[in-house]
Amino acid sequence: MADLQVARSGWDSVRVTPVFAERTRMRGDEPVAPDSVVVFMLDAAYDTLYAGPNVPLYIPDADLGSEERILIDVCGTVQDFLVCEQASVLASPKRVQITPDLTYPLEQDVQRGTYELPIVLERQVYDTENWEPIRPKRSLRGRLKAYVEGRENEPVQVAFAREKGSFDLGRDANYRDFKFALDSELRNRQSATIRFDVYLDLAGIDGAIASLSRAVRVKTNDERQTEVGQLAERAADRIIEIIDPFVDDRKSVAYVDTWQFNAIRGMYTVEMEVSWSSTTFVRSAYRIRGTLEVAEDGSSGSFKLADGDRNGLRRWQSRVSGDRIDIGALSVDRVPVIDAGLYDAVEGLLIIEAEHFDANEPARGQLWQKRTDIAGYQGEGAMVALPDHRRVIEAPDRHGSPELVYGVRFDRAGTYYVWLRVWAEGTDDNSVHVGLDGVAQRSALRIETQRYDRWQWTGDVRGRRSAAMLDVDRPGMHTLHLWMREDGLYVDQILLTTDPRFEPEDRGYLESGRVEPEDQTVEAAVVPSFNGRR
């Protein structure tokens, strides 16, 4: 048999044509043509893509993995002999662009959450350096891997087949180990960080394609007391609606005597008094006492009557048979959240690793992502806004520009000079915005570097001769914001100082410590309770 030839007409539809010589087998000096020819085409998993006669073949490139190897096997029969030749081709290089988002825990349940994974699959255009989006015929599938930061050996995994949906970590066989690790961390530190790694089932693309972190913590006793007060007020209104429904003009008050929380059941037990008055016909006052049982999310509420004054008991007996009523679900306001800790600026100096953010907000299909592909960063990596579309955003805000948020505590008010340790490839990705408490201060907009292909500090403002600075009007707790101006800029560290003569060294610095004050306003997820047994 002659050599098998493979011709490619492009990535879009790779054309494979097995070619035989006119005479393929020699018997002495007389050439003999094959009696029949069969062509087989197999993917990397040895699944048959084609089996049939010798015709031009088209590989379904969009459905194959990145540079997946395709085997072409051509067999010819001559009398009783079978002769085969093999060749192989590679599918196109592919890459994934993704801006993931997670809601976790969902309604304060650490077992559940929701996800959005807008995945864009691209491949390299044949014989060029350009990339183009493709839409495979079958849906992309993958998995979310979740684990407590620092305890990676106790993960759980959930599969996904859609770009948007909900997940239940409890369905994984390792959930009990994961929950035990989470409970242990919460018991020891009162807070924990859950890492979510996103994996895609696509040949040739190994490792996580994105990672997200979500902070969780237990509620403080003060927060629970606030929550109990809200539930008691709403329960009182519901009770009066049931036993005194025809009175429109009424004033009610709920008094909480004692309360307990059952962490295993996730239920409050509240000893309370309900009093109200009415002026529909004559002024009357009413009072009842009893026990409220309700889940901490406000569901499954019930009230059991213990005693009351004459008017209150008469109202109850006229509307209720027995001593208990179901009051259904009660709405409860979200308790102000306390994060695991704030960065502490000491003696007018603050240093933050960019990847240690408290919140990461996507916008317009882009997201800050941690990367380790540029050597020389400090800490665990650097943050870069992706995908890199050469986009410029001049007016930063939460909905218009990807944003990183950091909780900080300043020990003094005043002017803080802003320095960023960055890496830029060129003029299309060399600037970023910085703000304070959700406000973009003009003096810290368009911070840029004009040196490329190296890690260096910059505090220059584009188009101005002054250095970048922030005005901190009061000491105490604040939020520091990093907004994308140009995608593709790597940010390694953030440094704020009150010293106008400060000049950072080329290397990075040790990160500032964290402080855990009693009253913080940095937002994080809340875990209702934990149980250390398994």
Side-chain angles (χ1 to χ4, degrees), residues 100-118:
D101 189 26
L102 282 173
T103 299
Y104 176 85
L106 185 62
E107 298 176 352
Q108 302 182 358
D109 183 353
V110 296
Q111 186 170 314
R112 300 185 301 125
T114 63
Y115 68 89
E116 289 189 36
L117 306 172

Side-chain angles (χ1 to χ4, degrees), residues 6-18 39-43 48-51 53-64 70-72 89-91 123 137:
V6 178
R8 191 192 309 274
S9 60
W11 292 123
D12 189 22
S13 56
V14 180
R15 184 174 184 271
V16 181
T17 307
V39 179
F40 300 93
M41 183 164 62
L42 309 174
D43 62 16
T48 301
L49 301 176
Y50 174 82
N54 180 15
V55 296
L57 306 178
Y58 293 89
I59 296 178
D61 180 76
D63 294 330
L64 298 175
I70 308 302
L71 177 66
I72 310 297
V89 295
L90 297 179
R123 67 171 165 196
K137 294 180 181 178

Side-chain angles (χ1 to χ4, degrees), residues 260-281:
Q260 294 179 337
F261 178 71
N262 187 315
I264 297 176
R265 297 174 57 216
M267 298 288 292
Y268 285 113
T269 301
V270 184
E271 303 296 331
M272 61 181 291
E273 176 182 302
V274 181
S275 63
W276 71 101
S277 61
S278 170
T279 58
T280 303
F281 300 106

Side-chain angles (χ1 to χ4, degrees), residues 186-206:
L186 291 174
R187 179 186 293 105
N188 294 334
R189 299 179 59 244
Q190 300 296 297
S191 64
T193 299
I194 309 301
R195 295 274 300 181
F196 290 87
D197 295 336
V198 183
Y199 292 85
L200 197 62
D201 296 338
L202 187 66
I205 297 180
D206 299 321

Side-chain angles (χ1 to χ4, degrees), residues 320-338:
V320 179
S321 175
D323 62 355
R324 181 185 293 273
I325 56 173
D326 291 328
I327 57 178
L330 305 173
S331 62
V332 58
D333 297 335
R334 184 176 181 181
V335 175
V337 176
I338 300 176

